[in-house]
Amino acid sequence: MHRVRVRVVEDALDANNTIARANREDFDRHGVTVVNVMSAPGAGKTAILERILREGIGDRRVGVLEGDVQGSLDADRLAHLHVPVTQLNTGSGFGGECHLDANMVRSALPSIPLHDIDLLIVENVGNLVCPAEFHIGEDARIMVASVAEGDDKPGKYPLMFRTCELVVVNKTDLLEHVDFSMGRFDGYLDAVHPGVERMRMSARTGEGVDALRDWLAHLPDRAAAPA
Ligand SMILES: Nc1nc2c(ncn2[C@@H]2O[C@H](COP(=O)(O)OP(=O)(O)OP(=O)(O)O)[C@@H](O)[C@H]2O)c(=O)[nH]1
Ligand SMILES: [Mg+2]
């Protein structure tokens, strides 16, 4: 019984990876670099995007894909920033999934102006477990953790922190109010993903936002990537 269940899960992930590769081919064809931003609900993904997009990312033409179970609250927050924002609800036809998968992103591709952008930032559904398993055809993943969640999270949700290229520790303005040790966090993080690049940030004060903007501006350009 157990063996069958494991098999089914493996097949589902294989199927997802096949569609992720198809997405990737479409992104490649259009020269679009894709970043998947993941975190627990409320860690500050949208707040960080609001900050970053206010001044743009170098000369990159940016688009955003907003993943939410329901509604368009986050997309509405970004609406005034003059970047194309596409809303993808996992609750409509996808059973209210707690993550984006490759098939959902594929269904959204016709609504994303791939011809007019060269960097697509995908805000995944807030969840600390599921998004890690599902590649969507991205080039890089950013994991956002906030100091309000506690410094043990990399130890408790290792896959999320292991399958990313950058870890952002947000809400540093709250450090004096919460029991969060940056040293302990780094220790847990290095145990699951030794040496992964990390940044401290406050979307509220703007601390660290320029460093992230710079990181995004210097991501390898898909247009220049070998076919
Ligand atoms: N003090 C403080 N509050 C922050 C910071 N970043 C975000 N917030 C607040 O935290 C709350 C959640 O932020 P969001 O940007 O909505 O978080 P999110 O990760 O996009 O949330 P979901 O999309 O629901 O998963 C909001 O009330 C923000 O104003 C920060 O750096 N400092
Ligand atoms: Mg959000």
Side-chain angles (χ1 to χ4, degrees), residues 65-81:
L65 178 62
E66 268 297 341
D68 278 300
V69 174
Q70 176 178 316
S72 60
L73 288 173
D74 285 359
D76 294 345
R77 280 165 64 185
L78 302 177
H80 66 286
L81 292 166

Side-chain angles (χ1 to χ4, degrees), residues 24 46 65 92 100 139-140 154 191 214 221 224:
R24 188 58 191 266
T46 311
L65 178 62
S92 52
L100 295 179
D139 296 273
D214 210 45
D221 195 342

Side-chain angles (χ1 to χ4, degrees), residues 3-218:
R3 207 169 286 165
V4 172
R5 219 179 100 72
V6 169
R7 193 59 226 254
V8 169
V9 172
E10 279 175 1
D11 286 351
L13 290 178
D14 281 351
N16 184 75
N17 285 337
T18 302
I19 302 171
R21 276 194 292 276
N23 290 347
R24 188 58 191 266
E25 281 165 19
D26 283 348
F27 294 139
D28 280 352
R29 207 170 25 257
H30 290 92
V32 176
T33 303
V34 181
V35 182
N36 183 0
V37 183
M38 315 181 298
S39 82
K45 299 179 296 300
T46 311
I48 290 170
L49 287 184
E50 285 176 293
R51 274 274 182 184
I52 295 275
L53 296 175
R54 216 178 284 168
E55 289 172 34
I57 301 171
D59 55 7
R60 287 202 136 148
R61 298 169 305 158
V62 184
V64 175
L65 178 62
E66 268 297 341
D68 278 300
V69 174
Q70 176 178 316
S72 60
L73 288 173
D74 285 359
D76 294 345
R77 280 165 64 185
L78 302 177
H80 66 286
L81 292 166
H82 307 298
V83 298
V85 180
T86 304
Q87 178 73 58
L88 175 51
N89 285 136
T90 67
S92 52
F94 294 115
E97 292 287 350
C98 53
H99 58 270
L100 295 179
D101 68 23
N103 193 39
M104 296 173 196
V105 171
R106 190 140 199 84
S107 74
L109 288 186
S111 311
I112 303 172
L114 293 175
H115 288 288
D116 302 327
I117 62 173
D118 37 38
L119 176 64
L120 177 67
I121 302 178
V122 181
E123 178 176 341
N124 215 312
V125 180
N127 187 292
L128 218 39
V129 180
C130 309
E133 303 254 34
F134 292 88
H135 291 277
I136 55 175
E138 69 272 57
D139 296 273
R141 289 175 161 195
I142 299 174
M143 175 62 203
V144 181
S146 79
V147 303
E149 295 161 43
D151 49 32
D152 57 354
K153 291 303 165 283
K156 297 184 70 177
Y157 303 91
L159 196 57
M160 291 287 281
F161 290 89
R162 197 176 286 139
T163 61
C164 61
E165 278 69 38
L166 174 67
V167 174
V168 172
V169 182
N170 190 37
K171 307 197 187 183
T172 52
D173 58 289
L174 296 180
L175 271 173
E176 60 185 299
H177 303 291
V178 292
D179 295 327
F180 182 98
S181 154
M182 204 60 82
R184 269 203 305 269
F185 181 88
D186 281 339
Y188 281 116
L189 184 56
D190 281 326
V192 300
H193 196 166
V196 61
E197 198 171 347
R198 61 206 73 181
M199 288 176 188
R200 299 175 188 194
M201 185 162 303
S202 168
R204 181 173 194 149
T205 68
E207 180 205 350
V209 171
D210 284 344
L212 179 58
R213 193 178 281 122
D214 210 45
W215 190 90
L216 289 165
H218 288 95

